[in-house]
């Protein structure tokens, strides 16, 4: 074999390897984008939920003004949820907001006029709808994270994923509040 043929063969092999690396890199980029997009979907649902809280607090305040402590806890939890960053911190803050909202809804049992208020009922329905959408968005996010983590752990990506900045992502873990949040909020009239 001539030296020219060896050089051309070597160049062809290097080109094939380069295209293969580009292909693996691009698939990892697509997986990472899917994770980021799916977390953004969760964030949209959480923002909608947080936007309901002031209306809910104002509605309850009109009927149960002496329940100031509960109302302040809801507002405090909402503010903490709004400043949370990343899946782990967001999950913890949103879990606390969910707990305070449950205590707020428990007040409606003590105030029949509040329970019968159409605005309050609509806010409860909206919140239940958002909770269902959030559950679906969390499942989609965790699926995207699982695919991404599997993608960077598979050979051949495993060999160079870390050097390209692809690191393991965390799941959206609800922690101790998983049992409470997996139940759809009950809307009683």
């Amino acid at each position: 074999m001539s030296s020219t043929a060896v050089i051309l063969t070597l160049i062809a092999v290097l080109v094939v390897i380069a295209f293969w690396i580009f292909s693996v890199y691009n698939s990892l980029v697509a997986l990472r984008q899917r994770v980021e997009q799916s977390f953004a979907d969760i964030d949209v649902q959480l923002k909608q939920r947080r936007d309901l809280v002031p209306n809910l607090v104002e509605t309850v305040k009109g009927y149960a003004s002496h329940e100031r402590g509960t109302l302040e806890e809801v507002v405090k939890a909402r503010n903490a949820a709004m400043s949370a960053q990343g899946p782990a911190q967001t999950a913890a803050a949103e879990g606390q907001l969910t707990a305070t909202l449950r205590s707020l809804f428990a007040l409606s049992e003590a105030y029949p006029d509040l329970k019968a208020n159409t605005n309050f009922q609509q806010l409860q329905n909206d919140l239940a709808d958002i909770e269902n959408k959030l559950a679906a968005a969390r499942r989609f996010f965790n699926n995207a994270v699982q695919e991404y983590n599997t993608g960077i752990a598979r050979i051949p990506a495993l060999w160079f994923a870390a050097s390209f900045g692809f690191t393991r992502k965390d799941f959206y873990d609800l922690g101790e509040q998983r049992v409470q949040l997996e139940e759809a909020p009950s809307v009683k009239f």
Side-chain angles (χ1 to χ4, degrees):
M1 199 178 225
S2 71
S3 63
T4 305
V6 170
I7 291 173
L8 288 175
T9 303
L10 185 59
I11 289 172
V13 168
L14 290 175
V15 167
V16 167
I17 290 172
F19 276 117
W20 173 70
I21 289 173
F22 291 146
S23 174
V24 170
Y25 176 82
N26 286 337
S27 69
L28 292 177
V29 167
L31 289 171
R32 181 173 55 196
Q33 287 297 103
R34 185 168 178 235
V35 169
E36 291 170 2
Q37 181 263 328
S38 61
F39 185 71
D41 290 347
I42 290 173
D43 211 31
V44 166
Q45 298 300 322
L46 292 175
K47 183 180 178 337
Q48 287 179 348
R49 182 171 101 156
R50 288 181 218 128
D51 289 347
L52 284 177
V53 171
N55 294 333
L56 196 55
V57 167
E58 286 303 313
T59 302
V60 172
K61 197 183 288 184
Y63 289 90
S65 58
H66 65 280
E67 302 286 351
R68 186 175 208 79
T70 302
L71 297 174
E72 288 173 358
E73 286 300 313
V74 171
V75 171
K76 182 179 165 186
R78 177 186 181 261
N79 292 339
M82 290 178 70
S83 63
Q85 300 291 316
Q89 196 178 43
T90 300
E94 290 297 331
Q96 184 60 37
L97 178 57
T98 298
T100 61
L101 285 173
R102 288 185 190 278
S103 66
L104 185 69
F105 286 129
L107 288 178
S108 69
E109 297 300 320
Y111 297 93
D113 290 342
L114 172 61
K115 191 175 181 179
N117 180 284
T118 55
N119 190 34
F120 184 74
Q121 291 172 357
Q122 183 60 47
L123 290 168
Q124 279 187 310
N125 288 333
D126 291 348
L127 187 63
D129 183 51
I130 289 172
E131 290 296 335
N132 290 331
K133 290 176 183 175
L134 267 170
R138 284 191 293 265
R139 283 191 303 273
F140 184 77
F141 174 79
N142 284 339
N143 183 48
V145 168
Q146 183 269 327
E147 288 178 7
Y148 171 82
N149 287 343
T150 301
I152 65 171
R154 284 186 176 156
I155 294 175
L158 175 65
W159 297 330
F160 51 87
S163 62
F164 285 139
F166 294 96
T167 58
R168 186 168 168 74
K169 301 284 186 188
D170 293 329
F171 289 97
Y172 195 100
D173 186 14
L174 299 173
E176 296 175 7
Q177 299 201 355
R178 171 174 286 147
V179 174
Q180 293 174 347
L181 294 176
E182 285 178 349
E183 298 173 9
S186 61
V187 178
K188 298 177 184 176
F189 301 103

